[in-house]
Structure formats: structure tokens, C-alpha cells
Amino acid sequence: MKVLLVTGRLAQDIVKNYAQQANIVTEVVALNVPVAAFLNSETIITGLKNHNLHDIDMILTPGLSHGDTHVITKTLGVPVFKGSRYAADLPTVLEAIDKVALSTTIPACDLLRDTLIEKALKEIEAIEQNNAELLKHPSSMLIKNLAIGKNFPMRVMAEIVDAALMSDEEIQFLAKKFASQGANIIDVGMIAGKSNPENAARIVKAVKTVVDLPVSIDTLDPKEIKAAVSAGVDLILSADAGNIDQLAVFATNIPVVIIPTNQCEGHFPKKAQERVQLTEELIVKAKKLGFRNILADLILEPLNVLESFIAFKEFGIRNPDVPLFVGVANVTELFDADSVGINALLAQLSAEIDASIMLATEKSTKAKGTVHEEVVAAKMMYLAKKRASVPKDLGLDLLILKDKRSCEELYDVTLEQKSIITLATDETMTSELDSVGMFKITLDRKNNDIIALLFTDVSMTKPINIIKGKTAKNIYTKIIQLQLVTRLDHAAYLGSELEKAEIALRIGKAYIQDVCLFKKMS
């Protein structure tokens, strides 16, 4: 097969370089436009109508070009499809050309990404459909209708921190949000040192009203746990040497997480071997008391991460049939670094010890997004383990602020030889206001909207126009349509601020108008 690759003048060399990396015969044609994104069906037809196509089996146009390539196929008599947006993706597209049905409207890189994601999710779905057989393994159990165990993907427990202080509406909003992000269990957190059984029952019922997921209670208080059990709680988090005898009176039929502490006496062993021994002793006692479904949490300490994982690993080797619970959030919440990388690495470590459940919390601002990150990470680690590979090229990833490979077209300095070069500096622009008015840009996090508020005078307390949208393009397009901007400098400013707001909304950064989104690296 021979494939003709259409591009613009500036990208010609880079397209050739990437095309050579694939085991397919290609020919690159640069049409008379500087940038490939300027191409459309008409310009491509015009550019190729006199080109010799007798040995060409397929034509790929740039993924960023405009129009449906079906029109080109009808005119030229050769199958024409959308290629990739970026030259860096060409080798992947070309190697998969006989495996994926290409589109005349959708860029090939999007199709491949969707195909890889679909394949990855189908692998996981196949395991879920076979859970009856896998549940026969001694390390597996059901928490409500959720199968857990080392043969399943790690499950993510999303905790509603300090739920006892919230209204039912606040709790239910977070429960539905976490469920929509893929959480497998919703945990409701009580307030340490303040026994409040009535609230425990209330918050469990509040969650169960709106989501059909297992609900756990995070407290060591026996009275609160008893109230939660009466409200139908599905998992107790946690039992230790200080409360296990009291819990045995009413909770032996509820799955329980055992931790190596005695909170009543303030005892928590620091050494891995001591934690393992105490956990084993408590599990033996729990079984004698009648508890049937037991998980172990050796406690992930933020100041003792390595020792904690050694304890988990040692316990898992000695007790392979006891599912492990890892409080990943213990580290994420107390680490001043972007949560996505921390959660990915902690998920890898959790997978290596065959953990069954990871805890996710979003109490601090920097931990926002942790539930989604842990959900994706859990799936990645399961696929990597199943394929005996590193967590790479899985179809799923957590690449948010960085790219897997560069898609930039390198700047050609030879373009400067006959061009006028102007250096842009920090020049102060005119402070003259737009005659239509001024915009206040803000975010509605609850509904994931960008908001543009139009004021016609600085003394106004309420806007005369409010424009809402999901993207910067949606907002500025509507502003232009409504003729709410008349100055070029104002239009440029709005475009810059709206794009900044969209980035902040997508990645969880705080947005403040006229303030840089990212601090300068020292």
C-alpha cells in the first residue's frame, strides 16, 4: 500500500521525518499554503488535481484541515481520509491503517485514542462480568454488590470528609459527584472526639438515597458505628484493639477494616513488623468474635511511607487471603505537589502489594480531582499487571499538564532571513475602556461553567448581561455575535482571560482575573 500525505509548506520536512518511521510506503505533498490547518476540501482538490495519483492507494489529509474528505474522494477517485492532527502521531496512524476504519470527518488520532480506550475498558469489563468465578477465591468478597479482591481492579473509596458537619444536600451533591467520577464506594467521615450517633445514621441514609453504591462510615466510635449499621451501612472503617469487642455485639455481619492501633490508649506501632503482628492478632480475635468479612489497613503514614508499604507487603505475603485497604489520601493531602503524579505513583505501589481498596479524599484545594485520578490510576495499574507491562501505552493515562511526546512543529529560523522581525516587550496598553462596557470573568465550579459578566459602568453592582459557557471559544464567540466588544485590545484581552479561565476550570487551578495562572519557576 502507498499512502499520499497532504500537508502545508512549513510542516513538509517534519511530516516526511515522521512518515519514515512507519513501515508503509508514503509520499508527502506540500500544497501552496504555509500551515496545514488552512487547507480545506477545495484547496486540496485544486492542489492535487494535476498530481499523478495512479499508484496511490489512499490519501490522508491533515487532521486539522476543514471539511469532509468524502468530497475529495468523489473528485479524485482515490479514498481520502482525515489523518492525524500532529505529525508526531503519523507513525501510529500509519501502522494501524489496516486495523482501524478511518473517517472522512474525524482525525485518525482521535479514532485511535478512542479505540485504545475502548479496548482497555473492555478488558476491565470482561473481568467484572466474570466476578462470580473470581469471587470463589479466598481473597475476594462482596461489599454490598461490589466485588473486591486481588483478582479485581483496585476499588476507589471516595470519602466525604467531615460529612457530619454538612447538610443532606451538600452530602448528596458530593456523593453523586464522586459516583459520576467512577468512585466504587462512598465513605462518610465523622468528627473525631465528638460522638454523634444521630448524625451518623443521617449521613448514611443521605448517601444511600441518591447513589446505589456501597456506603462506609469512617469512625472508631462504637455508638456512631451502631447507628450507621442501623441505617444500612455496608462497610465499617475501622475496628481496632480499643473498639472491636463492642462492635462484635452488633456488627459481625458487616465487612470491617482492621487497623493496628488502640486509639483508646493512644497506641500505634511505628515499625512494620509490629504493625503486622498487631494486625494479625486483631484479625484472629475478630474471627473468634464472629466477624466474617475482614480487610486490613496497616496505615499509610505520610512521614513514614516506605516503612508503611513494607508493613503492607509483609502482611500481604503472610496473609494472602486478607484484602488490603490503603489510605492513599493520607499522603496526597499532606504533600505540596500536584496530586495527579502522587496518586499515580501511590496507585502503582498499592498495586504491587495487591491492594483491594484505595482511599481518596478531596479535603484540601490541592487534592481536588483526586477521586478521578485514583479511578483512572486503578484501571491503569490493573491493565499493566494483567499485561505484565509498565503503566505505559495502555489506552488510559493521567497525562494532564505534559504530553507523552512532542507535537510541536519546530521553529525554522531561516524564515527570519527576509522578514521583518519585531520584538514584543512588556509595553503598557492604553487604559481607554470599551464603549460597550467591561467584563468580569469568573467560574461556576458547581456547574463547570465559565461566566462573563458585562458591566457598563464601574459603579454598577449587578451586570446587565451574563454569558455562560463551557469553553473560552463558546463565550467569546457569543460576545462577538452580540457585539459586546468594539476594541481590538479589549477583544485580545478577553480571549486571553477566557482561555486562562478554561484552563483553570479544567485542571482545578484557582482563577483570578488579571493574575497569572502559573507562578514563575525559581
Side-chain angles (χ1 to χ4, degrees), residues 80 97 121 179 199-200 301 380 417 461 472 493:
V80 184
I97 211 162
L121 294 178
N199 254 342
E301 279 191 287
M380 288 174 63
Q417 293 175 359
T461 57
Y493 167 80

Side-chain angles (χ1 to χ4, degrees), residues 66-142:
H66 300 280
D68 189 331
T69 63
H70 179 65
V71 177
I72 309 173
T73 299
K74 288 173 63 178
T75 304
L76 300 180
V78 179
V80 184
F81 301 101
K82 283 284 182 77
S84 59
R85 283 189 173 87
Y86 312 110
D89 290 325
L90 269 175
T92 305
V93 171
L94 292 170
E95 293 290 352
I97 211 162
D98 57 344
K99 302 180 184 71
V100 177
L102 298 177
S103 170
T104 62
T105 57
I106 302 171
C109 50
D110 288 359
L111 291 173
L112 282 172
R113 184 190 65 227
D114 293 344
T115 299
L116 289 172
I117 292 174
E118 183 181 359
K119 179 184 176 183
L121 294 178
K122 280 185 176 179
E123 281 189 58
I124 296 172
E125 185 181 341
I127 292 296
E128 304 291 5
Q129 292 175 346
N130 190 37
N131 67 1
E133 187 65 30
L134 294 177
L135 277 168
K136 295 177 182 178
H137 192 279
S139 68
S140 300
M141 71 171 68
L142 275 176

Side-chain angles (χ1 to χ4, degrees), residues 72-295:
I72 309 173
T73 299
K74 288 173 63 178
T75 304
L76 300 180
V78 179
V80 184
F81 301 101
K82 283 284 182 77
S84 59
R85 283 189 173 87
Y86 312 110
D89 290 325
L90 269 175
T92 305
V93 171
L94 292 170
E95 293 290 352
I97 211 162
D98 57 344
K99 302 180 184 71
V100 177
L102 298 177
S103 170
T104 62
T105 57
I106 302 171
C109 50
D110 288 359
L111 291 173
L112 282 172
R113 184 190 65 227
D114 293 344
T115 299
L116 289 172
I117 292 174
E118 183 181 359
K119 179 184 176 183
L121 294 178
K122 280 185 176 179
E123 281 189 58
I124 296 172
E125 185 181 341
I127 292 296
E128 304 291 5
Q129 292 175 346
N130 190 37
N131 67 1
E133 187 65 30
L134 294 177
L135 277 168
K136 295 177 182 178
H137 192 279
S139 68
S140 300
M141 71 171 68
L142 275 176
I143 299 177
K144 192 181 178 183
N145 55 359
L146 176 69
I148 70 159
K150 61 178 62 177
N151 292 315
F152 295 96
M154 290 184 292
R155 308 307 191 180
V156 174
M157 173 188 288
E159 180 180 354
I160 302 175
V161 181
D162 296 339
L165 300 178
M166 299 180 184
S167 67
D168 287 0
E169 291 73 22
E170 291 173 308
I171 292 169
Q172 290 171 342
F173 171 78
L174 288 174
K176 289 189 287 186
K177 174 187 173 183
F178 292 153
S180 70
Q181 293 174 344
N184 307 107
I185 304 169
I186 304 297
D187 181 60
V188 287
M190 298 300 293
I191 309 301
K194 296 182 179 180
S195 185
N196 196 330
E198 295 79 11
N199 254 342
R202 175 183 68 84
I203 62 180
V204 169
K205 291 176 181 177
V207 175
K208 283 185 163 288
T209 300
V210 293
V211 297
D212 187 26
L213 294 176
V215 178
S216 61
I217 181 90
D218 189 353
T219 179
L220 286 161
D221 186 312
K223 293 180 181 178
E224 291 177 342
I225 294 173
K226 185 175 183 179
V229 169
S230 68
V233 80
D234 303 294
L235 175 64
I236 297 168
L237 187 70
S238 305
D240 76 348
N243 70 359
I244 195 164
D245 289 299
Q246 297 174 71
L247 300 189
V249 176
F250 56 82
T252 53
N253 62 331
I254 308 294
V256 63
V257 177
I258 300 285
I259 58 175
T261 69
N262 187 329
Q263 296 287 357
C264 293
E265 299 178 359
H267 175 61
F268 170 52
K270 294 293 184 179
K271 295 296 182 181
Q273 189 58 43
E274 294 172 353
R275 292 193 217 178
V276 172
Q277 184 177 341
L278 181 53
T279 305
E280 289 176 338
E281 291 172 358
L282 288 172
I283 288 175
V284 170
K285 182 175 183 178
K287 288 180 177 178
K288 288 180 179 178
L289 289 169
F291 287 94
R292 297 190 297 274
N293 293 317
I294 298 170
L295 299 89

